[in-house]
Coordinates of all heavy atoms in Angstrom, one line a residue:
M1 N 17.0 -22.9 -56.1 CA 16.9 -21.6 -55.5 C 15.5 -21.2 -55.1 O 15.3 -20.5 -54.2 CB 17.5 -20.6 -56.5 CG 17.7 -19.2 -55.9 SD 19.2 -18.6 -56.6 CE 19.3 -17.1 -55.8
S2 N 14.5 -21.6 -55.9 CA 13.2 -21.3 -55.6 C 12.7 -22.0 -54.3 O 11.8 -21.5 -53.6 CB 12.2 -21.7 -56.8 OG 12.3 -23.1 -57.0
E3 N 13.3 -23.1 -54.0 CA 13.0 -23.8 -52.8 C 13.4 -23.0 -51.6 O 12.7 -23.0 -50.6 CB 13.8 -25.1 -52.7 CG 13.3 -26.1 -53.7 CD 14.1 -27.4 -53.7 OE1 14.9 -27.6 -52.8 OE2 13.9 -28.2 -54.6
E4 N 14.5 -22.2 -51.6 CA 14.9 -21.3 -50.5 C 13.8 -20.3 -50.3 O 13.5 -20.0 -49.1 CB 16.2 -20.7 -50.8 CG 17.4 -21.7 -50.8 CD 18.7 -21.0 -51.2 OE1 18.8 -19.8 -51.3 OE2 19.7 -21.8 -51.3
F5 N 13.3 -19.7 -51.3 CA 12.3 -18.7 -51.2 C 11.0 -19.2 -50.6 O 10.4 -18.7 -49.7 CB 12.0 -18.0 -52.5 CG 13.2 -17.1 -52.9 CD1 13.8 -17.3 -54.1 CD2 13.6 -16.0 -52.2 CE1 14.9 -16.6 -54.5 CE2 14.6 -15.2 -52.6 CZ 15.3 -15.5 -53.8
D6 N 10.7 -20.5 -51.0 CA 9.5 -21.1 -50.5 C 9.6 -21.4 -49.0 O 8.7 -21.2 -48.2 CB 9.2 -22.4 -51.2 CG 8.7 -22.2 -52.6 OD1 8.2 -21.1 -52.9 OD2 8.9 -23.1 -53.4
F7 N 10.8 -21.8 -48.6 CA 11.1 -22.1 -47.2 C 11.0 -20.8 -46.4 O 10.5 -20.8 -45.3 CB 12.5 -22.7 -47.0 CG 12.9 -23.0 -45.6 CD1 12.2 -24.0 -44.9 CD2 13.8 -22.2 -44.9 CE1 12.6 -24.3 -43.6 CE2 14.1 -22.5 -43.6 CZ 13.5 -23.5 -43.0
A8 N 11.6 -19.7 -46.9 CA 11.5 -18.4 -46.2 C 10.1 -17.9 -46.1 O 9.7 -17.4 -45.0 CB 12.4 -17.4 -47.0
D9 N 9.3 -18.1 -47.1 CA 7.9 -17.7 -47.0 C 7.1 -18.5 -46.0 O 6.4 -18.0 -45.2 CB 7.2 -17.9 -48.4 CG 7.7 -16.9 -49.4 OD1 8.2 -15.8 -49.0 OD2 7.5 -17.1 -50.6
K10 N 7.4 -19.8 -45.9 CA 6.7 -20.6 -44.9 C 7.2 -20.2 -43.5 O 6.3 -20.1 -42.6 CB 7.1 -22.1 -45.1 CG 6.4 -22.7 -46.3 CD 6.8 -24.2 -46.4 CE 6.3 -24.8 -47.7 NZ 6.7 -26.1 -47.9
G11 N 8.4 -19.8 -43.4 CA 8.9 -19.3 -42.1 C 8.2 -18.0 -41.7 O 7.8 -17.8 -40.5
N12 N 8.0 -17.1 -42.6 CA 7.3 -15.9 -42.3 C 5.9 -16.1 -41.9 O 5.3 -15.5 -41.0 CB 7.4 -14.9 -43.5 CG 8.7 -14.3 -43.7 OD1 9.5 -14.3 -42.7 ND2 9.0 -13.9 -44.9
K13 N 5.2 -17.1 -42.6 CA 3.8 -17.4 -42.3 C 3.7 -18.0 -40.8 O 2.8 -17.6 -40.1 CB 3.3 -18.4 -43.3 CG 3.0 -17.8 -44.6 CD 2.5 -18.8 -45.6 CE 2.3 -18.2 -47.0 NZ 1.8 -19.2 -47.9
I14 N 4.7 -18.8 -40.5 CA 4.7 -19.4 -39.1 C 4.9 -18.3 -38.1 O 4.2 -18.2 -37.1 CB 5.8 -20.5 -39.0 CG1 5.4 -21.7 -39.9 CG2 5.9 -20.9 -37.6 CD1 6.5 -22.7 -40.0
F15 N 5.8 -17.4 -38.4 CA 6.1 -16.3 -37.5 C 4.8 -15.4 -37.3 O 4.5 -15.0 -36.2 CB 7.3 -15.5 -38.0 CG 7.6 -14.3 -37.1 CD1 8.3 -14.5 -35.9 CD2 7.3 -13.0 -37.4 CE1 8.6 -13.5 -35.0 CE2 7.6 -12.0 -36.6 CZ 8.3 -12.2 -35.4
N16 N 4.1 -15.1 -38.4 CA 3.0 -14.3 -38.3 C 1.8 -15.0 -37.6 O 1.1 -14.3 -36.9 CB 2.5 -13.9 -39.8 CG 3.4 -12.9 -40.4 OD1 4.1 -12.2 -39.8 ND2 3.4 -12.9 -41.8
E17 N 1.8 -16.3 -37.6 CA 0.7 -17.0 -36.9 C 0.9 -17.0 -35.4 O 0.0 -17.2 -34.6 CB 0.6 -18.4 -37.5 CG 0.0 -18.5 -38.9 CD 0.0 -19.9 -39.4 OE1 0.4 -20.8 -38.6 OE2 -0.3 -20.1 -40.6
T18 N 2.2 -16.9 -35.0 CA 2.5 -17.0 -33.6 C 2.5 -15.6 -32.9 O 3.1 -15.4 -31.8 CB 3.9 -17.6 -33.3 OG1 4.9 -16.8 -34.0 CG2 3.9 -19.0 -33.8
E19 N 1.8 -14.6 -33.5 CA 1.7 -13.3 -32.8 C 0.9 -13.5 -31.5 O 0.0 -14.4 -31.4 CB 1.0 -12.3 -33.7 CG 1.9 -11.9 -34.9 CD 1.2 -10.8 -35.8 OE1 0.1 -10.4 -35.4 OE2 1.8 -10.5 -36.8
T20 N 1.1 -12.6 -30.6 CA 0.4 -12.7 -29.3 C -1.1 -12.4 -29.5 O -1.5 -11.4 -30.1 CB 1.0 -11.7 -28.3 OG1 0.9 -10.4 -28.9 CG2 2.4 -12.0 -28.0
K21 N -1.9 -13.3 -29.0 CA -3.3 -13.2 -29.1 C -3.8 -13.2 -27.6 O -3.7 -14.2 -26.9 CB -4.0 -14.4 -29.8 CG -3.6 -14.4 -31.3 CD -4.2 -15.6 -31.9 CE -3.7 -15.7 -33.4 NZ -4.2 -16.9 -34.0
G22 N -4.2 -12.0 -27.1 CA -4.6 -11.9 -25.7 C -3.7 -11.0 -24.9 O -2.8 -10.3 -25.5
L23 N -3.8 -11.1 -23.6 CA -3.0 -10.2 -22.8 C -1.6 -10.8 -22.5 O -1.5 -12.0 -22.4 CB -3.7 -10.0 -21.4 CG -5.0 -9.2 -21.5 CD1 -5.7 -9.1 -20.2 CD2 -4.8 -7.8 -22.1
N24 N -0.7 -10.0 -22.2 CA 0.6 -10.4 -21.8 C 0.6 -11.0 -20.4 O 0.0 -10.3 -19.5 CB 1.5 -9.1 -21.9 CG 3.0 -9.4 -21.7 OD1 3.3 -10.6 -21.5 ND2 3.8 -8.4 -21.8
P25 N 1.2 -12.1 -20.1 CA 1.2 -12.6 -18.8 C 1.8 -11.7 -17.7 O 1.3 -11.6 -16.6 CB 2.0 -13.9 -18.9 CG 2.0 -14.3 -20.3 CD 1.9 -13.0 -21.1
G26 N 2.8 -10.9 -18.1 CA 3.4 -10.0 -17.2 C 2.4 -8.9 -16.8 O 2.3 -8.4 -15.7
L27 N 1.6 -8.5 -17.8 CA 0.5 -7.5 -17.5 C -0.5 -8.0 -16.6 O -1.0 -7.3 -15.7 CB -0.1 -7.0 -18.8 CG -1.2 -6.0 -18.7 CD1 -0.6 -4.7 -18.2 CD2 -1.8 -5.8 -20.1
I28 N -0.9 -9.3 -16.7 CA -1.9 -9.9 -15.9 C -1.4 -10.0 -14.4 O -2.1 -9.6 -13.5 CB -2.2 -11.3 -16.4 CG1 -3.0 -11.2 -17.7 CG2 -3.1 -12.1 -15.4 CD1 -3.2 -12.6 -18.4
V29 N -0.1 -10.4 -14.3 CA 0.5 -10.4 -12.9 C 0.5 -9.0 -12.3 O 0.2 -8.8 -11.1 CB 1.9 -11.0 -13.0 CG1 2.6 -10.9 -11.6 CG2 1.8 -12.5 -13.4
L30 N 0.9 -8.0 -13.1 CA 0.9 -6.6 -12.6 C -0.4 -6.2 -12.2 O -0.6 -5.5 -11.1 CB 1.5 -5.7 -13.7 CG 1.7 -4.3 -13.3 CD1 2.8 -4.1 -12.3 CD2 2.0 -3.4 -14.5
L31 N -1.4 -6.4 -13.0 CA -2.8 -6.0 -12.6 C -3.3 -6.7 -11.3 O -3.9 -6.1 -10.5 CB -3.8 -6.4 -13.8 CG -3.6 -5.5 -15.0 CD1 -4.5 -6.0 -16.1 CD2 -3.9 -4.0 -14.7
V32 N -3.0 -8.0 -11.2 CA -3.4 -8.7 -10.0 C -2.7 -8.1 -8.7 O -3.3 -7.9 -7.7 CB -3.1 -10.2 -10.1 CG1 -3.2 -10.9 -8.8 CG2 -4.0 -10.9 -11.1
V33 N -1.4 -7.9 -8.8 CA -0.7 -7.3 -7.7 C -1.2 -5.9 -7.3 O -1.4 -5.6 -6.2 CB 0.9 -7.3 -8.0 CG1 1.6 -6.5 -6.9 CG2 1.4 -8.7 -8.1
V34 N -1.4 -5.1 -8.3 CA -1.8 -3.7 -8.1 C -3.3 -3.8 -7.5 O -3.6 -3.0 -6.6 CB -1.8 -2.9 -9.4 CG1 -2.5 -1.6 -9.2 CG2 -0.4 -2.6 -9.8
G35 N -4.1 -4.7 -8.0 CA -5.4 -4.8 -7.5 C -5.4 -5.3 -6.0 O -6.2 -4.7 -5.2
L36 N -4.6 -6.2 -5.7 CA -4.5 -6.6 -4.3 C -4.0 -5.5 -3.4 O -4.5 -5.3 -2.3 CB -3.6 -7.9 -4.2 CG -4.2 -9.2 -4.7 CD1 -3.1 -10.3 -4.7 CD2 -5.4 -9.6 -4.0
L37 N -3.0 -4.8 -3.8 CA -2.5 -3.7 -3.1 C -3.6 -2.6 -2.9 O -3.7 -2.1 -1.8 CB -1.3 -3.1 -3.8 CG -0.6 -1.9 -3.1 CD1 0.1 -2.4 -1.8 CD2 0.5 -1.3 -4.0
L38 N -4.3 -2.3 -3.9 CA -5.4 -1.3 -3.8 C -6.5 -1.8 -2.8 O -6.9 -1.0 -2.0 CB -6.0 -1.1 -5.2 CG -6.9 0.1 -5.3 CD1 -6.2 1.4 -5.1 CD2 -7.6 0.1 -6.7
V39 N -6.9 -3.1 -2.9 CA -7.9 -3.6 -2.0 C -7.3 -3.5 -0.5 O -8.1 -3.1 0.4 CB -8.2 -5.0 -2.3 CG1 -9.0 -5.7 -1.2 CG2 -9.0 -5.1 -3.6
F40 N -6.1 -3.8 -0.3 CA -5.5 -3.8 1.0 C -5.5 -2.3 1.6 O -5.9 -2.1 2.7 CB -4.0 -4.3 0.9 CG -3.3 -4.2 2.2 CD1 -3.5 -5.1 3.3 CD2 -2.3 -3.2 2.4 CE1 -2.8 -5.0 4.5 CE2 -1.6 -3.1 3.6 CZ -1.9 -4.0 4.6
L41 N -5.1 -1.4 0.8 CA -5.1 0.0 1.2 C -6.5 0.6 1.5 O -6.7 1.2 2.5 CB -4.3 0.9 0.2 CG -2.8 0.6 0.1 CD1 -2.2 1.4 -1.1 CD2 -2.1 0.9 1.4
V42 N -7.4 0.3 0.6 CA -8.7 0.8 0.8 C -9.4 0.1 2.0 O -10.0 0.8 2.8 CB -9.6 0.5 -0.5 CG1 -11.1 0.8 -0.2 CG2 -9.1 1.4 -1.6
G43 N -9.1 -1.2 2.2 CA -9.6 -1.9 3.4 C -9.1 -1.3 4.7 O -9.8 -1.1 5.7
N44 N -7.8 -1.0 4.7 CA -7.2 -0.4 5.9 C -7.8 0.9 6.2 O -8.0 1.3 7.3 CB -5.7 -0.3 5.7 CG -5.0 -1.6 6.1 OD1 -5.5 -2.4 6.7 ND2 -3.7 -1.7 5.7
Y45 N -8.0 1.7 5.2 CA -8.6 3.1 5.3 C -10.0 3.0 5.9 O -10.4 3.7 6.8 CB -8.6 3.8 4.0 CG -9.3 5.2 4.2 CD1 -8.6 6.2 4.8 CD2 -10.6 5.4 3.7 CE1 -9.2 7.5 4.9 CE2 -11.2 6.7 3.8 CZ -10.5 7.7 4.4 OH -11.1 8.9 4.6
V46 N -10.8 2.0 5.4 CA -12.2 1.8 5.9 C -12.2 1.4 7.3 O -12.9 1.9 8.1 CB -12.9 0.8 5.0 CG1 -14.2 0.4 5.6 CG2 -13.2 1.4 3.6
L47 N -11.3 0.4 7.7 CA -11.2 0.0 9.1 C -10.8 1.1 10.0 O -11.2 1.2 11.1 CB -10.3 -1.2 9.2 CG -10.8 -2.5 8.6 CD1 -9.7 -3.6 8.6 CD2 -12.0 -3.0 9.4
Y48 N -9.8 1.9 9.5 CA -9.3 3.0 10.3 C -10.4 4.0 10.6 O -10.6 4.5 11.8 CB -8.2 3.7 9.6 CG -7.6 4.9 10.3 CD1 -6.8 4.8 11.5 CD2 -8.0 6.2 9.9 CE1 -6.4 5.9 12.1 CE2 -7.5 7.3 10.5 CZ -6.7 7.2 11.7 OH -6.2 8.3 12.3
T49 N -11.2 4.4 9.6 CA -12.3 5.4 9.8 C -13.4 4.8 10.7 O -13.9 5.5 11.5 CB -12.9 5.8 8.5 OG1 -13.3 4.7 7.7 CG2 -11.9 6.7 7.7
Y50 N -13.6 3.5 10.5 CA -14.6 2.8 11.4 C -14.2 2.8 12.8 O -15.0 3.1 13.8 CB -14.9 1.4 10.9 CG -15.8 0.6 11.8 CD1 -17.2 0.9 11.8 CD2 -15.3 -0.4 12.6 CE1 -18.0 0.1 12.6 CE2 -16.2 -1.1 13.4 CZ -17.5 -0.9 13.4 OH -18.4 -1.6 14.2
A51 N -12.9 2.5 13.1 CA -12.4 2.5 14.4 C -12.4 3.9 15.0 O -12.6 4.0 16.2 CB -10.9 1.9 14.4
Q52 N -12.1 4.9 14.2 CA -12.1 6.3 14.8 C -13.5 6.7 15.3 O -13.7 7.4 16.2 CB -11.6 7.3 13.7 CG -10.2 7.2 13.4 CD -9.3 7.5 14.5 OE1 -9.5 8.5 15.2 NE2 -8.3 6.8 14.8
K53 N -14.5 6.2 14.6 CA -15.9 6.6 14.9 C -16.4 5.7 16.1 O -17.2 6.3 16.9 CB -16.8 6.3 13.7 CG -16.6 7.3 12.6 CD -17.5 7.0 11.4 CE -17.2 7.9 10.2 NZ -18.0 7.5 9.1
T54 N -16.0 4.5 16.2 CA -16.6 3.6 17.2 C -15.8 3.5 18.5 O -16.4 3.3 19.6 CB -16.9 2.2 16.6 OG1 -15.6 1.7 16.2 CG2 -17.9 2.3 15.5
L55 N -14.5 3.5 18.4 CA -13.7 3.2 19.6 C -13.6 4.5 20.5 O -13.5 5.6 19.9 CB -12.3 2.8 19.3 CG -12.2 1.4 18.6 CD1 -10.7 1.1 18.3 CD2 -12.7 0.3 19.6
P56 N -13.7 4.4 21.8 CA -13.5 5.6 22.6 C -12.1 6.1 22.6 O -11.2 5.3 22.3 CB -13.9 5.1 24.0 CG -13.6 3.6 24.0 CD -13.9 3.2 22.6
P57 N -11.8 7.3 22.9 CA -10.5 7.8 22.8 C -9.6 7.2 24.0 O -10.2 6.8 25.0 CB -10.6 9.3 23.0 CG -12.0 9.5 23.6 CD -12.8 8.4 23.1
R58 N -8.4 7.1 23.7 CA -7.5 6.5 24.7 C -7.4 7.4 26.0 O -7.5 8.6 25.9 CB -6.0 6.4 24.2 CG -5.8 5.3 23.2 CD -4.4 5.2 22.9 NE -4.1 4.5 21.7 CZ -2.9 4.4 21.2 NH1 -1.9 4.9 21.7 NH2 -2.8 3.8 20.0
K59 N -7.3 6.7 27.1 CA -7.1 7.5 28.4 C -5.7 7.9 28.5 O -4.8 7.1 28.2 CB -7.5 6.6 29.6 CG -9.0 6.3 29.6 CD -9.3 5.5 30.8 CE -10.8 5.2 30.9 NZ -11.2 4.4 32.0
K60 N -5.5 9.1 28.9 CA -4.1 9.6 29.2 C -3.6 9.1 30.5 O -4.4 8.9 31.4 CB -4.1 11.1 29.2 CG -4.4 11.8 27.9 CD -4.3 13.3 27.9 CE -4.5 13.9 26.6 NZ -4.4 15.3 26.6
K61 N -2.3 8.8 30.6 CA -1.7 8.4 31.8 C -1.8 9.5 32.8 O -1.6 10.7 32.5 CB -0.3 8.0 31.6 CG 0.0 6.8 30.8 CD 1.5 6.5 30.7 CE 1.7 5.2 29.9 NZ 3.2 5.0 29.8
P62 N -2.1 9.2 34.1 CA -2.2 10.2 35.1 C -0.8 10.8 35.3 O 0.2 10.1 35.4 CB -2.7 9.5 36.3 CG -2.5 8.1 36.1 CD -2.4 7.9 34.6
V63 N -0.8 12.1 35.5 CA 0.5 12.8 35.8 C 0.8 12.7 37.2 O -0.1 13.0 38.1 CB 0.4 14.3 35.3 CG1 1.7 15.0 35.5 CG2 0.0 14.4 33.9
S64 N 2.0 12.3 37.6 CA 2.4 12.2 39.0 C 2.5 13.6 39.7 O 2.7 14.6 39.0 CB 3.7 11.4 39.1 OG 4.7 12.2 38.6
K65 N 2.3 13.5 41.0 CA 2.4 14.8 41.7 C 3.8 15.4 41.6 O 3.9 16.6 41.6 CB 2.1 14.5 43.2 CG 0.6 14.1 43.4 CD 0.3 13.9 44.9 CE -1.1 13.4 45.1 NZ -1.4 13.1 46.5
K66 N 4.8 14.6 41.5 CA 6.1 15.1 41.4 C 6.3 15.9 40.1 O 6.9 16.9 40.1 CB 7.1 13.9 41.5 CG 8.5 14.2 41.8 CD 9.3 12.9 41.9 CE 10.7 13.2 42.3 NZ 11.5 11.9 42.5
K67 N 5.8 15.3 39.0 CA 5.9 16.0 37.7 C 5.1 17.3 37.7 O 5.6 18.3 37.2 CB 5.4 15.0 36.6 CG 6.4 14.6 35.7 CD 5.8 13.8 34.6 CE 6.9 13.2 33.7 NZ 6.4 12.4 32.6
M68 N 3.9 17.3 38.3 CA 3.1 18.5 38.4 C 3.9 19.6 39.1 O 3.9 20.7 38.7 CB 1.8 18.2 39.0 CG 0.8 17.5 38.1 SD -0.8 17.1 38.9 CE -1.4 18.7 39.3
K69 N 4.5 19.2 40.2 CA 5.3 20.2 41.0 C 6.4 20.8 40.2 O 6.6 22.0 40.2 CB 5.8 19.5 42.3 CG 6.4 20.4 43.3 CD 6.7 19.6 44.6 CE 7.3 20.5 45.6 NZ 7.7 19.8 46.8
K70 N 7.1 19.9 39.4 CA 8.2 20.4 38.6 C 7.7 21.4 37.5 O 8.3 22.4 37.3 CB 8.9 19.3 37.9 CG 9.9 18.5 38.8 CD 10.7 17.5 38.0 CE 11.7 16.7 38.8 NZ 12.4 15.7 38.1
E71 N 6.6 21.0 36.9 CA 6.0 21.9 35.9 C 5.6 23.2 36.4 O 5.8 24.3 35.8 CB 4.8 21.2 35.2 CG 5.2 20.1 34.3 CD 6.0 20.5 33.1 OE1 5.7 21.6 32.5 OE2 7.0 19.8 32.7
R72 N 5.0 23.3 37.6 CA 4.6 24.5 38.2 C 5.8 25.4 38.6 O 5.8 26.6 38.4 CB 3.8 24.2 39.4 CG 2.4 23.8 39.1 CD 1.5 23.6 40.4 NE 0.2 23.1 40.1 CZ -0.5 22.4 40.9 NH1 -0.1 22.2 42.1 NH2 -1.7 22.0 40.6
L73 N 6.9 24.7 39.0 CA 8.1 25.5 39.4 C 8.7 26.1 38.1 O 9.2 27.2 38.2 CB 9.1 24.6 40.1 CG 8.7 24.2 41.6 CD1 9.7 23.2 42.1 CD2 8.6 25.5 42.4
K74 N 8.6 25.3 37.0 CA 9.2 25.9 35.7 C 8.4 27.1 35.3 O 9.0 28.0 34.8 CB 9.1 24.8 34.6 CG 10.2 23.8 34.7 CD 10.1 22.8 33.6 CE 11.1 21.7 33.7 NZ 10.9 20.7 32.6
Q75 N 7.1 27.1 35.5 CA 6.2 28.2 35.1 C 6.3 29.4 36.0 O 5.8 30.4 35.7 CB 4.8 27.7 34.9 CG 4.6 26.7 33.8 CD 3.2 26.2 33.7 OE1 2.4 26.5 34.5 NE2 3.0 25.3 32.7
G76 N 6.9 29.2 37.2 CA 7.0 30.3 38.1 C 5.9 30.3 39.1 O 5.8 31.2 40.0
V77 N 5.0 29.4 39.1 CA 3.9 29.3 40.1 C 4.3 28.5 41.2 O 4.8 27.4 41.0 CB 2.6 28.8 39.4 CG1 1.5 28.7 40.4 CG2 2.2 29.6 38.2
S78 N 4.2 29.0 42.4 CA 4.6 28.2 43.6 C 3.7 27.1 43.9 O 2.4 27.3 43.7 CB 4.8 29.1 44.8 OG 3.5 29.6 45.1
A79 N 4.2 26.0 44.2 CA 3.3 24.8 44.5 C 2.6 25.1 45.8 O 3.1 25.7 46.7 CB 4.2 23.6 44.7
P80 N 1.4 24.6 46.0 CA 0.6 24.8 47.2 C 1.3 24.1 48.4 O 1.8 23.0 48.2 CB -0.7 24.2 46.9 CG -0.5 23.3 45.8 CD 0.6 23.8 45.0
G81 N 1.2 24.8 49.5 CA 1.8 24.2 50.7 C 3.3 24.5 50.9 O 3.9 24.0 51.8
E82 N 3.8 25.4 50.1 CA 5.2 25.8 50.3 C 5.3 27.2 50.7 O 4.6 28.1 50.4 CB 6.0 25.6 49.0 CG 6.1 24.1 48.6 CD 7.0 24.0 47.4 OE1 7.4 25.0 46.8 OE2 7.3 22.8 47.1

Protein backbone atom coordinates (compact mmCIF):
# COMPACT_ATOMS: atom_id res chain seq x y z
CA MET A 1 0.00 0.00 0.00
CA SER A 2 2.89 2.35 0.69
CA GLU A 3 4.05 1.74 -2.89
CA GLU A 4 0.82 3.30 -4.20
CA PHE A 5 1.46 6.47 -2.21
CA ASP A 6 5.04 6.64 -3.45
CA PHE A 7 3.83 6.30 -7.03
CA ALA A 8 1.25 9.04 -6.50
CA ASP A 9 3.89 11.32 -5.01
CA LYS A 10 6.21 10.75 -7.96
CA GLY A 11 3.31 11.56 -10.30
CA ASN A 12 2.66 14.85 -8.53
CA LYS A 13 6.32 15.78 -8.71
CA ILE A 14 6.38 15.09 -12.44
CA PHE A 15 3.22 17.16 -12.90
CA ASN A 16 4.70 20.04 -10.92
CA GLU A 17 7.89 19.97 -13.00
CA THR A 18 5.96 20.28 -16.27
CA GLU A 19 4.38 23.65 -15.41
CA THR A 20 4.59 26.22 -18.15
CA LYS A 21 7.85 28.11 -18.12
CA GLY A 22 7.67 31.08 -20.49
CA LEU A 23 5.00 32.54 -22.70
CA ASN A 24 2.04 30.68 -24.07
CA PRO A 25 2.47 29.94 -27.82
CA GLY A 26 -1.05 31.23 -28.48
CA LEU A 27 -0.13 34.53 -26.83
CA ILE A 28 2.98 34.82 -28.99
CA VAL A 29 0.95 34.28 -32.17
CA LEU A 30 -1.63 36.81 -31.01
CA LEU A 31 1.05 39.41 -30.27
CA VAL A 32 2.68 38.86 -33.69
CA VAL A 33 -0.63 39.20 -35.54
CA VAL A 34 -1.69 42.30 -33.59
CA GLY A 35 1.77 43.81 -34.12
CA LEU A 36 1.63 43.25 -37.87
CA LEU A 37 -1.89 44.69 -38.05
CA LEU A 38 -0.79 47.74 -36.09
CA VAL A 39 2.24 48.28 -38.35
CA PHE A 40 0.00 47.95 -41.42
CA LEU A 41 -2.54 50.49 -40.17
CA VAL A 42 0.05 53.00 -39.00
CA GLY A 43 1.95 52.65 -42.29
CA ASN A 44 -1.21 53.26 -44.30
CA TYR A 45 -1.99 56.36 -42.24
CA VAL A 46 1.52 57.73 -42.74
CA LEU A 47 1.37 57.11 -46.50
CA TYR A 48 -2.09 58.70 -46.71
CA THR A 49 -1.00 61.87 -44.92
CA TYR A 50 2.16 62.05 -47.05
CA ALA A 51 0.10 61.69 -50.23
CA GLN A 52 -2.33 64.39 -49.09
CA LYS A 53 0.55 66.83 -48.62
CA THR A 54 2.53 66.05 -51.77
CA LEU A 55 0.07 65.06 -54.50
CA PRO A 56 -1.87 67.78 -56.31
CA PRO A 57 -5.66 67.71 -56.00
CA ARG A 58 -7.59 65.81 -58.65
CA LYS A 59 -8.90 67.73 -61.59
CA LYS A 60 -12.67 67.80 -61.87
CA LYS A 61 -14.25 66.60 -65.07
CA PRO A 62 -15.39 69.48 -67.25
CA VAL A 63 -19.14 70.03 -67.18
CA SER A 64 -20.73 69.77 -70.60
CA LYS A 65 -22.62 72.71 -72.07
CA LYS A 66 -25.79 70.62 -72.16
CA LYS A 67 -25.59 69.94 -68.42
CA MET A 68 -24.88 73.59 -67.65
CA LYS A 69 -27.94 74.60 -69.65
CA LYS A 70 -30.14 72.12 -67.73
CA GLU A 71 -28.84 73.36 -64.37
CA ARG A 72 -29.51 76.98 -65.28
CA LEU A 73 -33.04 76.13 -66.40
CA LYS A 74 -33.67 74.33 -63.10
CA GLN A 75 -32.54 77.41 -61.17
CA GLY A 76 -34.77 79.67 -63.25
CA VAL A 77 -31.99 81.58 -64.97
CA SER A 78 -32.43 81.73 -68.72
CA ALA A 79 -29.56 80.41 -70.76
CA PRO A 80 -27.73 83.05 -72.81
CA GLY A 81 -28.79 83.29 -76.43
CA GLU A 82 -32.40 82.30 -75.83
